[in-house]
Amino acid sequence: MKRTIVGPFSLPEVLAGAAALAAAIASVAGFIPGLYRDRAVVIAQTHGYDAGNLVVVAVLMLGLAWSIRSSARGRLVVIGALGCLVYSYVTYAFLIVLNPVTLLYIAVLGLAGWSVITGLLQFDEEEIEPIQRGRFLTRATGIFMLLLAVVFASNWLRQIGAAVAGGHLPADLAANGWPMNPVWVLDLGFVLPLFAIGGIGMLRRRSYAVPVAMAVLVFMALLSITVLSMAVAMALAGQTLDLALLAIFGIVLVVSTMLAGAWLRLPRPADRRQTIGRLGTSAPA
């Protein structure tokens, strides 16, 4: 499909840039005293997410700079970062009490969502850079994605089952004053099935799975940063932490970053041909 161009940039890039700007303003504004009108426990958590979202915005802008140079890998970094903003701002838009920057929450959610959709629609199969996929890296990524799907699905289903059987909300939801945990909805309905599909595709060495895996790895690394940032804010506010879950996110951050870096650093076949060509040119007759 032909890319839609707006000035010197494509439509997904324009939308992504606008989402990054809106998210940066909303995150910085979150530290203005009195802006949030939620319970104190929610405000502390949200401050942590605000700090984490600034890291996501920084990675998004780096990905955009790479994408603008017609890099498919850069566009996948952008999609991963945008996915993290969508994931975070579902909670902001639906559960954070109405405040002066609520419209920015809606703007981030809409702009990031449409950028992801239009960006995926404009990917041509041949445009996705063919990567020399080593068997170990492919299998390691597939197993990691499937393991994430199993671990988080098991944890969320256990919590939901305990709450239903006990007939009461979990303690953290009751403290927040929320009727439902949006993470359960997003993960069980969308994120974890995507992990499973991508993981199975990697193990079967399907071509579609490589871009899915690269975007997912970027998404998980950034999401782990925001969760750990939230944990720091909660600890500073004297709140109780789920240390086991934080340990899992710490491990996920390290593994996701290592795997994403490995995929992004792999040379393209064209790069290898150019290198061979230069060596051949300089070789003695």
Side-chain angles (χ1 to χ4, degrees):
M1 182 178 293
K2 186 176 180 180
R3 299 180 71 190
T4 303
I5 305 299
V6 181
F9 310 113
S10 69
L11 177 60
E13 290 167 349
V14 172
L15 294 173
L21 177 60
I25 295 172
S27 297
V28 172
F31 293 98
I32 298 175
L35 178 82
Y36 289 122
R37 301 166 180 174
D38 305 81
R39 297 184 181 186
V41 62
V42 175
I43 293 175
Q45 296 172 14
T46 308
H47 281 160
Y49 254 83
D50 287 334
N53 284 334
L54 289 174
V55 176
V56 177
V57 168
V59 173
L60 173 55
M61 295 307 296
L62 290 174
L64 273 175
W66 196 4
S67 172
I68 289 169
R69 298 197 297 270
S70 299
S71 168
R73 300 190 196 196
R75 292 168 66 188
L76 290 170
V77 171
V78 169
I79 289 174
L82 287 171
C84 192
L85 287 182
V86 170
Y87 190 93
S88 296
Y89 277 89
V90 165
T91 300
Y92 281 85
F94 285 98
L95 290 177
I96 296 300
V97 174
L98 186 71
N99 65 52
V101 294
T102 293
L103 287 179
L104 284 178
Y105 304 156
I106 299 172
V108 174
L109 190 57
L111 290 167
W114 283 112
S115 181
V116 170
I117 292 171
T118 56
L120 291 174
L121 288 176
Q122 293 185 19
F123 258 115
D124 291 326
E125 184 176 349
E126 60 271 16
E127 182 186 20
I128 298 175
E129 302 158 350
I131 299 173
Q132 298 293 329
R133 299 191 294 273
R135 182 178 297 274
F136 173 77
L137 184 56
T138 302
R139 288 188 175 277
T141 303
I143 291 171
F144 178 63
M145 292 175 68
L146 288 174
L147 187 61
L148 286 177
V150 171
V151 169
F152 284 102
S154 300
N155 191 44
W156 301 154
L157 290 173
R158 176 182 59 80
Q159 293 185 25
I160 292 172
V164 172
H168 57 75
L169 285 175
D172 55 345
L173 286 184
N176 291 349
W178 292 351
M180 181 58 179
N181 189 339
V183 171
W184 294 343
V185 179
L186 291 171
D187 281 3
L188 295 174
F190 302 98
V191 176
L192 299 183
L194 179 64
F195 286 7
I197 293 171
I200 292 171
M202 291 299 283
L203 293 179
R204 292 182 175 179
R205 302 179 69 82
R206 300 291 189 262
S207 59
Y208 75 84
V210 175
V212 171
M214 290 173 66
V216 163
L217 291 171
V218 172
F219 166 82
M220 281 307 302
L222 293 175
L223 179 63
S224 297
I225 289 174
T226 60
V227 171
L228 294 174
S229 177
M230 179 189 68
V232 171
M234 291 172 63
L236 292 174
Q239 298 181 27
T240 303
L241 301 177
D242 186 340
L243 297 180
L245 192 59
L246 292 180
I248 291 175
F249 273 106
I251 295 171
V252 169
L253 171 59
V254 173
V255 177
S256 296
T257 302
M258 291 176 60
L259 289 174
W263 281 109
L264 293 173
R265 286 195 303 269
L266 283 177
R268 292 173 294 174
D271 295 336
R272 294 186 174 185
R273 287 195 298 268
Q274 291 169 4
T275 301
I276 293 172
R278 287 195 298 269
L279 291 174
T281 301
S282 60

